[in-house]
Amino acid sequence: LEYNPYSQQLSLTIKVRSSGSVLLTLTRTLASFPSGTTRLGVSRLHMKNTGGGADPNATVDYNLDNIQLFQDLPLMYGQDFSSAPGWTTDDPAKLLWDSGSGTFHGTQVNTEGTFAYIDLPTFNPNRNWRLEWDHIINSDQWSAGLTIGLFDSRLLYTLKTG
């Protein structure tokens, strides 16, 4: 996920790490982000997928690894989960560092609205930045999903790609 304030483009590219093959690319024109967009993590707090036909108890189970956030090219935040990341969470039983796999393991249910994040107060979302991460979806029931990225203080994703 990458933002260029000069071209006002927010771009998402999904690749297969082993081959480098591009699976999906989305781009959106975006003049700016709200200035309080300084939390990096996962959140289902305000995205509970309970609309028509959605299963309110649908669950996604995943592992995250190798999160890197670059601001104006230098690495601003990097986490390979070789040690506990120190993220704030409202559900430490389901959103936690897995020492055995060296990843961050999450299990999130649509209606539970859980979150885990690190606050990056010096991050400015309206400068050049790039966010990279690896994730594996272990299981995903219909209408559940993983929401990872940058959030504001309410843990809302302020804008989305697509």
Side-chain angles (χ1 to χ4, degrees):
L1 186 62
E2 188 169 4
Y3 182 65
N4 181 323
Y6 304 106
S7 64
Q8 298 183 338
Q9 295 294 300
L10 177 65
S11 302
L12 172 70
T13 302
I14 299 174
K15 296 180 182 179
V16 176
R17 178 171 287 287
S18 60
S19 67
S21 300
V22 174
L23 295 176
L24 175 71
T25 301
L26 299 170
T27 302
R28 177 179 179 174
T29 300
L30 183 66
S32 66
F33 286 86
S35 61
T37 307
T38 61
R39 291 183 175 177
L40 169 62
V42 294
S43 176
R44 299 297 291 169
L45 193 59
H46 297 281
M47 299 178 56
K48 299 179 182 177
N49 285 5
T50 55
D55 179 354
N57 298 310
T59 301
V60 61
D61 183 89
Y62 57 88
N63 290 80
L64 297 176
D65 200 8
N66 301 316
I67 295 175
Q68 295 181 318
L69 177 62
F70 299 88
Q71 178 93 67
D72 295 325
L73 199 54
L75 180 65
M76 170 176 241
Y77 176 79
Q79 182 56 258
D80 66 3
F81 299 103
S82 59
S83 60
W87 286 10
T88 300
T89 181
D90 67 336
D91 192 348
K94 293 183 182 175
L95 299 171
L96 67 155
W97 172 58
D98 181 345
S99 61
S101 65
T103 63
F104 182 85
H105 180 257
T107 301
Q108 292 181 279
V109 178
N110 278 346
T111 55
E112 290 180 358
T114 55
F115 61 84
Y117 68 88
I118 183 85
D119 193 25
L120 304 171
T122 61
F123 176 68
N124 180 344
N126 294 308
R127 292 178 26 202
N128 281 312
W129 57 264
R130 186 175 77 243
L131 175 61
E132 299 176 354
W133 71 92
D134 295 330
H135 72 266
I136 295 174
I137 303 292
N138 302 314
S139 65
D140 189 15
Q141 295 173 332
W142 183 85
S143 77
L146 167 61
T147 306
I148 180 172
L150 299 164
F151 302 92
D152 67 13
S153 63
R154 300 164 297 162
L155 294 169
L156 288 172
Y157 72 104
T158 52
L159 300 158
K160 64 182 179 180
T161 302

